[in-house]
Amino acid sequence: MVMAIAIVFFLGIAAISYQLEVLSYLILTGFVILLFVNNKNRFLISLVLSFLIGFAVFMIANGFVETMSVPQELKIILNRLFLGFILIGIVFNHLLFKKKLVWYNRKPDWTNPIRLPFHQVNVFWFWLIGIAVNGIVYSFFIARQDPESIQSLLVFCLVFSLINAVFEEVIWRGIMLSALEECVSTGYAVAVTSIGFGLLHLAIGFPILLSLLIALAGVIYAVITLKTKSIYPSIVFHFVINIGMVYSGLII
């Protein structure tokens, strides 16, 4: 059952992203019905339902902003701020079930190693090398920009990168990951939050293959969060990636 819930959850994200209204309504209605007939997985069902409802409101709000005559940079910033609707939905769900809100809000613990098939690496060096490698890759895109373009995008880049990193990490690696860990296995929680994180990028026009590639980044963020027991390292990692995405032309 939990696997079916995950698959329909992913389908719901895709349906809402592509504005397939009939399919979206069917999925939401199906989860509502399931909420009353499946007591065993009620919190899990309610969690993904509240997420999808918040996501639907997110899409409606963005549709309204798209009709406004404002700069594209402002539309993108508002788009990221509207992720707050998803956050409100899942927080409300916790309050409804009287669940403690946990989102790894603590100082990072860098002592836990990451065990690879034939090697073991310190989580701090894994995190730092990951940031460095991505920084080097994106530096080639930045180097192709003229100084005026870099300067003109700087404020937007920093604001967008910070808002996006904080909201997405608090939603996925914070509340969703910790909530799922309570009722399913850690592997399931990582898979659902990572794939869901990737698919959410369909809503901003990313193709499906790129969205699934982003899901792999979600796995890395999740591992770092679980190993450090803190969301802050993944926020910093995500922030650096976002800067690269802006200057590589993927965002604007």
Side-chain angles (χ1 to χ4, degrees):
M1 175 57 73
V2 293
M3 187 61 67
I5 291 171
I7 293 172
V8 178
F9 175 53
F10 300 148
L11 185 60
I13 293 176
I16 294 171
S17 296
Y18 290 130
Q19 300 181 43
L20 304 175
E21 295 183 5
V22 174
L23 181 57
S24 298
Y25 288 138
L26 287 174
I27 290 171
L28 291 175
T29 302
F31 274 132
V32 170
I33 295 171
L34 197 59
L35 188 62
F36 291 99
V37 299
N38 191 319
N39 293 328
K40 181 180 178 181
N41 298 302
R42 180 165 290 175
F43 175 70
L44 174 61
I45 296 165
S46 182
L47 180 67
V48 297
L49 176 61
S50 62
F51 182 102
L52 292 176
I53 292 173
F55 183 39
V57 176
F58 164 89
M59 291 296 293
I60 293 170
N62 280 304
F64 173 74
V65 169
E66 285 300 319
T67 65
M68 298 170 59
S69 299
V70 297
Q72 183 64 21
E73 290 88 346
L74 180 57
K75 289 183 179 180
I76 294 173
I77 295 297
L78 288 173
N79 176 283
R80 297 297 86 190
L81 287 173
F82 289 155
L83 288 170
F85 288 119
I86 299 176
L87 192 57
I88 290 170
I90 57 180
V91 168
F92 176 78
N93 185 69
H94 275 67
L95 295 175
L96 187 65
F97 280 83
K98 298 181 180 178
K99 294 275 189 179
K100 182 180 179 181
L101 199 63
V102 180
W103 52 284
Y104 296 104
N105 178 28
R106 54 174 291 181
K107 183 179 178 180
D109 176 7
W110 299 105
T111 61
N112 294 316
I114 294 177
R115 292 180 175 84
L116 303 174
F118 303 103
H119 185 60
Q120 180 172 294
V121 60
N122 181 277
V123 65
F124 175 78
W125 288 109
F126 179 85
W127 172 77
L128 192 61
I129 291 170
I131 290 177
V133 169
N134 281 276
I136 292 170
V137 171
Y138 282 119
S139 67
F140 290 103
F141 293 100
I142 297 174
R144 295 171 59 185
Q145 303 277 349
D146 58 83
E148 290 78 12
S149 297
I150 293 174
Q151 186 175 0
S152 65
L153 280 175
L154 183 60
V155 174
F156 165 76
C157 178
L158 294 176
V159 173
F160 164 83
S161 298
L162 182 61
I163 292 173
N164 190 59
V166 170
F167 270 88
E168 288 193 336
E169 290 307 308
V170 170
I171 289 170
W172 289 111
R173 260 65 62 180
I175 299 174
M176 289 293 288
L177 182 61
S178 59
L180 286 171
E181 272 197 296
E182 287 189 16
C183 48
V184 294
S185 68
T186 299
Y188 179 98
V190 170
V192 169
T193 54
S194 299
I195 296 173
F197 165 67
L199 292 176
L200 200 69
H201 290 76
L202 295 172
I204 56 176
F206 282 23
I208 183 67
L209 290 179
L210 180 56
S211 296
L212 292 177
L213 184 62
I214 291 173
L216 295 179
V219 174
I220 295 174
Y221 297 149
V223 169
I224 291 172
T225 299
L226 292 171
K227 288 295 181 179
T228 62
K229 296 178 172 51
S230 172
I231 199 173
Y232 299 112
S234 64
I235 288 177
V236 173
F237 201 147
H238 201 151
F239 176 75
V240 173
I241 297 296
N242 285 338
I243 291 175
M245 291 179 73
V246 171
Y247 280 113
S248 66
L250 286 171
I251 302 301
I252 189 171

